[in-house]
């Protein structure tokens, strides 16, 4: 039985990856930071099947200990301060987790499990002010936020460890990927959740920033398969994982509110507070390399993704309202 260690297992991607690995017959370990609140809601249904180990990307000894216990064949580093807007308010903390934290986990793997295969969660935000359309692995990077800069450090330090220490270390340059498990602070889930609240008569408006920003949105459940496929290759490498389609925030809003049978123009208000200091206007990735080498391509369409998220939030809000009324 293969074993895998997943940092960020309680997040959106971590939960889908843990499910995927369990289905493949892996023994799955997850690294979690100590918290006084319940952070395992996304993996509640598989808690009995995974083993959680204490660890923190800010604390290298804890990472080494987790790796020594798990003895993993594969390590997936999905933990990060992953919200772009927060990175403007907490740039130093973002750097510690999302940048230097990658060095800590790489160094822990190098010392405690040097033969383990390593996956780093890189990001399309590294392209930022895009230098070419669409973006591929060779497109120059130009990050436009502290988060993007931190992810770029994590990306290059992974390349450095691969080349310097001959580690099987790969990076997935993942474009925006969403799901019903996305945090409510992210714009896609913010839209679907608020549409559900409006539909159930609990609020009467949704405030958003730049409706013209264009993104390449896919389904997180599809993207974790690509992570796994990278670590099954003989040679480590970097891959763009995307849909090669772009949609505006406005399109997402239109589809989401239509799914909830609402006229979005009656409820959506523009709010300067949600504008980024430096905007990333257009992200669209071409996953031609992933398709050719990994045999991977997205399975879920943009419309299917939006509908899935709205349907989930309509049910979630309905159940929450029912519970609070008791």
């Amino acid at each position: 039985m293969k074993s895998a260690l997943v940092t960020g297992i309680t997040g959106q991607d971590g939960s889908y990856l843990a499910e995927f690995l369990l289905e493949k017959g892996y023994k799955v370990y997850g690294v979690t930071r100590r918290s006084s609140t319940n952070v395992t809601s996304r993996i509640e249904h598989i808690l009995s099947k995974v083993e959680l180990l204490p660890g923190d990307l800010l604390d290298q000894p804890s990472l080494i200990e987790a790796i020594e216990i798990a003895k993993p064949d594969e390590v997936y580093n999905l933990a990060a301060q992953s919200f772009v807007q927060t990175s403007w308010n907490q740039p130093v903390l973002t750097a510690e987790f999302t940048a230097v934290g990658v060095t800590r986990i790489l160094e822990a793997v190098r010392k405690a499990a040097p033969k383990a295969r390593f996956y780093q969660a890189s990001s399309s935000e590294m392209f930022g002010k895009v230098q070419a359309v669409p973006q591929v692995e060779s497109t120059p990077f130009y990050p436009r936020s502290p988060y993007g800069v931190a992810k770029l450090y994590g990306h290059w330090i992974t390349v450095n460890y691969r080349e310097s220490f001959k580690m099987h270390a790969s990076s997935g340059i993942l474009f925006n990927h969403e799901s019903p498990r996305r945090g409510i602070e992210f714009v896609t889930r913010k839209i679907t959740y608020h549409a559900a609240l409006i539909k159930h008569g609990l609020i009467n408006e949704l405030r958003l920033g730049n409706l013209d920003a264009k993104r390449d949105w896919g389904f997180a459940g599809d993207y974790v398969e690509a992570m796994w496929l990278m670590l099954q290759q003989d040679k480590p490498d970097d891959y763009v994982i995307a849909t090669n389609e772009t949609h505006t925030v406005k399109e997402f809003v239109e589809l989401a509110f239509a799914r909830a049978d609402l006229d979005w123009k009656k409820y959506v208000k523009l709010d300067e507070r949600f504008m980024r200091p430096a905007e990333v206007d257009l992200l669209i990735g071409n996953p031609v390399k992933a398709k050719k080498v990994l045999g991977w391509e997205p399975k879920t369409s943009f419309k299917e993704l939006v509908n899935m998220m709205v349907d989930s939030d309509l049910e979630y809000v309905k159940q929450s309202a029912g519970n609070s009324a008791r």
Side-chain angles (χ1 to χ4, degrees):
M1 179 187 289
K2 276 188 174 182
S3 65
L5 183 74
V6 182
T7 72
I9 193 171
T10 59
Q12 171 189 257
D13 292 8
S15 66
Y16 282 110
L17 179 62
E19 287 176 347
F20 181 88
L21 293 172
L22 287 170
E23 287 172 7
K24 290 286 183 184
Y26 281 66
K27 169 65 177 174
V28 178
Y29 296 86
V31 175
T32 60
R33 300 172 66 203
R34 187 195 172 280
S35 174
S36 58
T37 57
N38 176 30
V39 295
T40 59
S41 58
R42 293 185 182 94
I43 57 170
E44 205 73 49
H45 59 297
I46 55 171
L47 264 181
S48 63
K49 300 176 183 177
V50 302
E51 185 171 336
L52 300 183
L53 303 171
D56 195 318
L57 287 183
L58 301 184
D59 181 55
Q60 192 172 2
S62 69
L63 299 174
I64 292 173
E65 185 172 350
I67 290 169
E68 287 176 342
I69 293 171
K71 298 180 175 59
D73 297 290
E74 299 168 5
V75 176
Y76 296 84
N77 183 41
L78 309 186
Q81 190 299 100
S82 59
F83 188 42
V84 175
Q85 194 70 34
T86 296
S87 78
W88 290 105
N89 300 324
Q90 298 181 311
V92 176
L93 184 67
T94 299
E96 284 288 350
F97 273 114
T98 309
V100 184
V102 184
T103 310
R104 294 190 187 100
I105 186 72
L106 277 166
E107 191 65 6
V109 171
R110 186 174 78 88
K111 289 180 176 178
K115 293 184 179 180
R117 298 186 172 193
F118 180 84
Y119 171 84
Q120 167 59 18
S122 289
S123 169
S124 60
E125 288 285 335
M126 300 187 311
F127 293 118
K129 188 176 181 180
V130 297
Q131 305 299 292
V133 178
Q135 293 88 57
V136 293
E137 292 80 7
S138 59
T139 302
F141 299 118
Y142 196 142
R144 295 269 279 173
S145 67
Y147 170 78
V149 173
K151 275 292 183 183
L152 189 52
Y153 174 97
H155 179 80
W156 279 118
I157 199 66
T158 302
V159 172
N160 190 261
Y161 269 65
R162 176 169 74 216
E163 295 177 351
S164 301
F165 302 115
K166 310 304 179 192
M167 291 175 66
H168 194 298
S170 298
S171 285
I173 307 173
L174 270 57
F175 281 63
N176 294 63
H177 47 290
E178 317 297 324
S179 76
R181 299 178 193 173
R182 189 52 130 165
I184 292 171
E185 69 273 18
F186 290 84
V187 67
T188 49
R189 181 74 195 289
K190 179 179 178 180
I191 291 166
T192 61
Y193 179 61
H194 281 73
L197 290 172
I198 291 168
K199 182 65 176 179
H200 286 287
L202 299 173
I203 61 171
N204 57 17
E205 70 174 20
L206 165 60
R207 291 185 172 271
L208 293 172
N210 182 12
L211 294 183
D212 296 321
K214 296 178 180 178
R215 295 290 184 272
D216 183 326
W217 277 301
F219 173 48
D222 293 344
Y223 284 32
V224 297
E225 180 186 17
M227 300 176 189
W228 176 78
L229 284 168
M230 289 178 212
L231 299 199
Q232 310 316 306
Q233 306 307 306
D234 291 336
K235 294 182 180 180
D237 207 345
D238 306 322
Y239 298 87
V240 162
I241 304 300
T243 69
N244 205 22
E245 288 183 16
T246 188
H247 300 276
T248 63
V249 175
K250 182 180 176 183
E251 285 179 77
F252 199 106
V253 169
E254 289 172 339
L255 276 177
F257 276 71
R259 183 68 171 183
D261 197 23
L262 296 167
D263 180 359
W264 72 273
K265 293 177 182 177
K266 292 180 179 178
Y267 304 102
V268 175
K269 305 283 190 294
L270 296 183
D271 193 326
E272 291 288 331
R273 292 177 302 164
F274 300 114
M275 297 288 188
R276 292 186 185 181
E279 183 57 85
V280 174
D281 295 312
L282 171 62
L283 290 175
I284 176 171
N286 186 348
V288 60
K289 180 178 173 181
K291 184 174 182 179
K292 181 180 178 181
V293 179
L294 306 178
W296 179 89
E297 52 189 322
K299 301 181 179 71
T300 309
S301 72
F302 177 67
K303 186 174 182 180
E304 287 170 339
L305 172 64
V306 177
N307 288 349
M308 176 200 312
M309 293 176 68
V310 173
D311 292 349
S312 174
D313 273 329
L314 284 169
E315 184 61 29
Y316 174 71
V317 171
K318 180 181 177 182
Q319 289 185 356
S320 298
N323 291 335
S324 63
R326 289 173 189 166

Coordinates of all heavy atoms in Angstrom, one line a residue, residues 124-172:
S124 N -1.7 30.1 -11.0 CA -1.8 31.0 -12.2 C -1.5 32.5 -11.8 O -1.2 33.3 -12.7 CB -3.1 30.9 -12.9 OG -4.2 31.2 -12.0
E125 N -1.7 32.8 -10.5 CA -1.5 34.2 -10.1 C 0.0 34.6 -10.3 O 0.3 35.8 -10.2 CB -1.8 34.4 -8.6 CG -3.4 34.4 -8.3 CD -4.0 35.7 -8.8 OE1 -3.4 36.7 -8.8 OE2 -5.2 35.6 -9.1
M126 N 0.9 33.6 -10.5 CA 2.3 33.9 -10.8 C 2.4 34.6 -12.1 O 3.4 35.4 -12.4 CB 3.1 32.6 -10.8 CG 3.1 31.9 -9.5 SD 4.2 30.5 -9.4 CE 3.9 29.6 -10.9
F127 N 1.5 34.4 -13.1 CA 1.5 35.1 -14.4 C 1.1 36.5 -14.2 O 1.5 37.4 -15.0 CB 0.6 34.3 -15.4 CG 1.1 33.0 -15.7 CD1 0.4 31.8 -15.5 CD2 2.3 32.8 -16.4 CE1 0.8 30.6 -15.8 CE2 2.8 31.6 -16.7 CZ 2.0 30.4 -16.4
G128 N 0.1 36.8 -13.3 CA -0.3 38.2 -13.0 C -0.6 39.0 -14.2 O -1.6 38.9 -14.9
K129 N 0.3 40.0 -14.4 CA 0.2 40.9 -15.6 C 0.7 40.1 -16.8 O 1.9 40.1 -17.1 CB 1.0 42.2 -15.4 CG 0.8 43.3 -16.4 CD 1.6 44.5 -16.0 CE 1.4 45.6 -17.0 NZ 2.2 46.8 -16.7
V130 N -0.2 39.4 -17.5 CA 0.2 38.4 -18.4 C 1.0 38.9 -19.6 O 0.7 40.0 -20.1 CB -1.0 37.6 -18.9 CG1 -1.7 36.9 -17.8 CG2 -2.0 38.5 -19.7
Q131 N 2.0 38.1 -19.9 CA 3.0 38.5 -21.0 C 2.6 37.8 -22.3 O 3.2 38.1 -23.3 CB 4.4 38.2 -20.5 CG 4.8 38.8 -19.2 CD 4.8 40.3 -19.3 OE1 5.6 40.9 -20.0 NE2 3.8 40.9 -18.5
A132 N 1.7 36.9 -22.2 CA 1.2 36.1 -23.4 C -0.1 35.5 -23.1 O -0.5 35.2 -22.0 CB 2.2 35.0 -23.8
V133 N -0.9 35.4 -24.2 CA -2.3 34.8 -24.1 C -2.4 33.7 -25.1 O -2.2 33.9 -26.3 CB -3.4 35.8 -24.3 CG1 -4.8 35.2 -24.2 CG2 -3.2 36.9 -23.2
P134 N -2.8 32.4 -24.7 CA -3.0 32.0 -23.4 C -1.6 31.7 -22.7 O -0.6 31.8 -23.3 CB -3.7 30.7 -23.5 CG -3.2 30.1 -24.9 CD -3.0 31.4 -25.7
Q135 N -1.6 31.4 -21.4 CA -0.4 31.1 -20.7 C -0.1 29.6 -20.7 O -0.9 28.8 -20.6 CB -0.5 31.6 -19.2 CG -0.7 33.1 -19.0 CD -2.1 33.6 -19.1 OE1 -3.0 33.1 -18.3 NE2 -2.4 34.5 -20.0
V136 N 1.2 29.4 -20.9 CA 1.7 28.0 -20.9 C 2.9 28.0 -19.9 O 3.3 29.0 -19.3 CB 2.2 27.5 -22.3 CG1 0.9 27.4 -23.2 CG2 3.2 28.4 -22.9
E137 N 3.6 26.8 -19.8 CA 4.7 26.7 -18.8 C 5.8 27.6 -19.1 O 6.5 28.1 -18.1 CB 5.2 25.2 -18.8 CG 4.2 24.2 -18.3 CD 3.1 23.8 -19.3 OE1 3.2 24.2 -20.5 OE2 2.2 23.0 -18.9
S138 N 6.1 28.0 -20.3 CA 7.2 28.9 -20.7 C 6.8 30.4 -20.6 O 7.7 31.2 -20.9 CB 7.7 28.5 -22.1 OG 6.7 28.6 -23.0
T139 N 5.6 30.7 -20.4 CA 5.2 32.1 -20.3 C 5.9 32.8 -19.1 O 5.9 32.3 -18.0 CB 3.7 32.3 -20.1 OG1 3.0 31.6 -21.2 CG2 3.3 33.7 -20.1
P140 N 6.5 34.0 -19.4 CA 7.2 34.7 -18.3 C 6.2 35.1 -17.2 O 5.1 35.4 -17.4 CB 7.7 36.0 -19.0 CG 7.9 35.6 -20.4 CD 6.7 34.7 -20.7
F141 N 6.7 35.0 -15.9 CA 5.9 35.3 -14.8 C 6.0 36.8 -14.5 O 7.0 37.5 -14.7 CB 6.4 34.6 -13.6 CG 6.3 33.1 -13.7 CD1 7.4 32.3 -13.6 CD2 5.1 32.5 -13.9 CE1 7.3 30.9 -13.8 CE2 5.0 31.1 -14.0 CZ 6.1 30.3 -14.0
Y142 N 4.8 37.4 -14.0 CA 4.8 38.8 -13.6 C 3.7 38.9 -12.5 O 2.6 39.5 -12.7 CB 4.4 39.7 -14.8 CG 4.7 41.1 -14.7 CD1 5.2 41.9 -15.8 CD2 4.4 41.8 -13.5 CE1 5.4 43.2 -15.7 CE2 4.6 43.2 -13.4 CZ 5.1 43.9 -14.5 OH 5.3 45.3 -14.4
P143 N 4.0 38.4 -11.3 CA 2.9 38.4 -10.2 C 2.5 39.8 -9.8 O 3.3 40.7 -9.9 CB 3.6 37.7 -9.1 CG 5.1 37.8 -9.3 CD 5.3 37.8 -10.8
R144 N 1.2 39.9 -9.4 CA 0.7 41.3 -9.2 C 0.1 41.4 -7.8 O -0.8 42.2 -7.5 CB -0.4 41.6 -10.2 CG 0.1 41.7 -11.6 CD 0.5 43.2 -11.9 NE -0.7 44.0 -12.2 CZ -0.7 45.3 -12.4 NH1 0.4 45.9 -12.3 NH2 -1.8 45.9 -12.8
S145 N 0.5 40.5 -6.9 CA 0.1 40.5 -5.5 C 1.1 39.9 -4.6 O 1.9 39.1 -5.1 CB -1.3 39.8 -5.3 OG -1.1 38.4 -5.5
P146 N 1.1 40.2 -3.3 CA 2.0 39.4 -2.4 C 1.8 37.9 -2.5 O 2.8 37.2 -2.4 CB 1.7 40.0 -1.0 CG 1.2 41.4 -1.3 CD 0.4 41.3 -2.6
Y147 N 0.6 37.5 -2.7 CA 0.3 36.1 -2.8 C 1.0 35.5 -4.1 O 1.7 34.5 -4.0 CB -1.2 35.8 -2.9 CG -1.6 34.4 -3.3 CD1 -1.5 33.4 -2.4 CD2 -2.0 34.1 -4.6 CE1 -1.9 32.1 -2.7 CE2 -2.3 32.8 -5.0 CZ -2.2 31.8 -4.0 OH -2.6 30.5 -4.4
G148 N 0.9 36.2 -5.2 CA 1.5 35.8 -6.4 C 3.0 35.7 -6.3 O 3.7 34.8 -6.8
V149 N 3.6 36.7 -5.7 CA 5.0 36.7 -5.5 C 5.5 35.6 -4.6 O 6.5 34.9 -4.9 CB 5.5 38.1 -4.8 CG1 6.9 38.0 -4.4 CG2 5.2 39.2 -5.8
A150 N 4.7 35.3 -3.5 CA 5.0 34.2 -2.6 C 4.9 32.9 -3.3 O 5.8 32.0 -3.2 CB 4.1 34.2 -1.4
K151 N 3.9 32.7 -4.1 CA 3.8 31.5 -4.9 C 4.9 31.3 -5.9 O 5.4 30.1 -6.1 CB 2.4 31.4 -5.7 CG 1.2 31.0 -4.8 CD 1.4 29.5 -4.5 CE 0.2 29.0 -3.7 NZ 0.3 27.5 -3.3
L152 N 5.4 32.4 -6.4 CA 6.5 32.3 -7.4 C 7.8 31.8 -6.7 O 8.6 31.0 -7.2 CB 6.8 33.7 -8.0 CG 7.8 33.7 -9.2 CD1 7.4 32.6 -10.2 CD2 7.8 35.1 -9.8
Y153 N 8.0 32.3 -5.5 CA 9.1 31.8 -4.7 C 9.0 30.3 -4.5 O 9.9 29.5 -4.6 CB 9.2 32.5 -3.3 CG 10.3 32.0 -2.4 CD1 11.5 32.6 -2.3 CD2 10.0 30.8 -1.6 CE1 12.5 32.0 -1.5 CE2 11.0 30.3 -0.8 CZ 12.2 30.9 -0.7 OH 13.2 30.4 0.1
G154 N 7.8 29.9 -4.0 CA 7.6 28.4 -3.8 C 7.8 27.6 -5.0 O 8.3 26.5 -5.0
H155 N 7.4 28.2 -6.2 CA 7.6 27.5 -7.4 C 9.1 27.3 -7.8 O 9.5 26.2 -8.1 CB 6.9 28.3 -8.6 CG 7.1 27.7 -9.9 ND1 6.3 26.6 -10.3 CD2 7.9 28.0 -10.9 CE1 6.6 26.3 -11.6 NE2 7.6 27.1 -12.0
W156 N 9.8 28.4 -7.7 CA 11.2 28.3 -8.1 C 12.1 27.6 -7.1 O 13.1 26.9 -7.4 CB 11.8 29.7 -8.3 CG 11.4 30.3 -9.6 CD1 10.7 31.4 -9.8 CD2 11.8 29.8 -10.9 NE1 10.6 31.6 -11.2 CE2 11.3 30.6 -11.9 CE3 12.6 28.7 -11.3 CZ2 11.4 30.4 -13.2 CZ3 12.7 28.5 -12.7 CH2 12.2 29.3 -13.6
I157 N 11.7 27.6 -5.8 CA 12.5 26.8 -4.8 C 12.3 25.3 -5.0 O 13.2 24.5 -4.8 CB 12.2 27.2 -3.3 CG1 13.3 26.7 -2.4 CG2 10.9 26.7 -2.9 CD1 14.6 27.4 -2.6
T158 N 11.1 25.0 -5.5 CA 10.8 23.6 -5.9 C 11.7 23.1 -7.1 O 12.3 22.1 -7.1 CB 9.3 23.4 -6.2 OG1 8.6 23.7 -5.1 CG2 9.0 21.9 -6.6
V159 N 11.8 24.0 -8.1 CA 12.6 23.7 -9.2 C 14.1 23.6 -8.8 O 14.8 22.7 -9.2 CB 12.5 24.9 -10.3 CG1 13.6 24.7 -11.4 CG2 11.2 24.9 -10.9
N160 N 14.5 24.5 -7.8 CA 15.9 24.5 -7.3 C 16.2 23.2 -6.6 O 17.3 22.6 -6.8 CB 16.1 25.7 -6.4 CG 17.5 25.9 -6.0 OD1 17.9 25.5 -4.9 ND2 18.3 26.5 -6.9
Y161 N 15.3 22.7 -5.8 CA 15.5 21.4 -5.1 C 15.5 20.2 -6.0 O 16.3 19.3 -5.9 CB 14.5 21.2 -4.0 CG 14.9 21.8 -2.6 CD1 15.1 23.2 -2.5 CD2 15.1 21.0 -1.5 CE1 15.5 23.7 -1.2 CE2 15.6 21.5 -0.3 CZ 15.7 22.8 -0.2 OH 16.1 23.3 1.0
R162 N 14.7 20.3 -7.0 CA 14.7 19.3 -8.1 C 16.0 19.2 -8.8 O 16.6 18.1 -9.0 CB 13.6 19.5 -9.1 CG 13.5 18.6 -10.2 CD 12.2 18.8 -11.0 NE 12.2 20.0 -11.9 CZ 11.2 20.7 -12.1 NH1 10.0 20.5 -11.5 NH2 11.2 21.8 -12.9
E163 N 16.6 20.3 -9.1 CA 17.8 20.3 -9.9 C 19.0 20.2 -9.0 O 20.0 19.5 -9.5 CB 17.9 21.6 -10.7 CG 16.8 21.8 -11.8 CD 16.8 23.1 -12.5 OE1 17.6 24.0 -12.1 OE2 16.1 23.2 -13.5
S164 N 19.0 20.7 -7.8 CA 20.2 20.6 -6.9 C 20.3 19.3 -6.2 O 21.4 18.8 -6.0 CB 20.1 21.7 -5.9 OG 20.0 23.0 -6.5
F165 N 19.2 18.7 -5.8 CA 19.2 17.5 -5.0 C 18.6 16.3 -5.7 O 18.4 15.2 -5.1 CB 18.5 17.7 -3.7 CG 19.1 18.9 -2.9 CD1 18.3 20.0 -2.6 CD2 20.4 18.8 -2.4 CE1 18.9 21.1 -1.9 CE2 20.9 19.9 -1.7 CZ 20.2 21.0 -1.4
K166 N 18.3 16.4 -7.0 CA 17.7 15.3 -7.8 C 16.4 14.8 -7.2 O 16.2 13.6 -7.3 CB 18.7 14.2 -8.0 CG 20.1 14.7 -8.5 CD 20.0 15.5 -9.8 CE 21.4 16.0 -10.2 NZ 21.3 17.0 -11.3
M167 N 15.7 15.6 -6.5 CA 14.4 15.2 -6.0 C 13.3 15.1 -7.0 O 13.4 15.8 -8.0 CB 13.9 16.2 -4.9 CG 14.8 16.2 -3.6 SD 14.3 17.5 -2.4 CE 12.7 16.9 -1.9
H168 N 12.4 14.1 -6.9 CA 11.3 14.0 -7.8 C 10.3 15.1 -7.3 O 9.3 14.7 -6.5 CB 10.7 12.6 -7.8 CG 9.8 12.3 -8.9 ND1 8.6 13.0 -9.1 CD2 9.8 11.5 -9.9 CE1 8.0 12.6 -10.1 NE2 8.7 11.6 -10.7
A169 N 10.5 16.3 -7.7 CA 9.6 17.4 -7.2 C 9.0 18.1 -8.4 O 9.7 18.6 -9.3 CB 10.5 18.4 -6.5
S170 N 7.6 18.1 -8.5 CA 6.9 18.7 -9.6 C 6.0 19.8 -9.1 O 5.5 19.8 -7.9 CB 6.0 17.6 -10.3 OG 6.9 16.7 -10.8
S171 N 5.7 20.8 -9.9 CA 4.8 21.9 -9.6 C 3.6 21.9 -10.6 O 3.8 21.7 -11.8 CB 5.4 23.2 -9.7 OG 6.3 23.4 -8.5
G172 N 2.4 22.0 -10.0 CA 1.2 22.2 -10.8 C 0.8 23.6 -10.8 O 0.5 24.2 -9.8

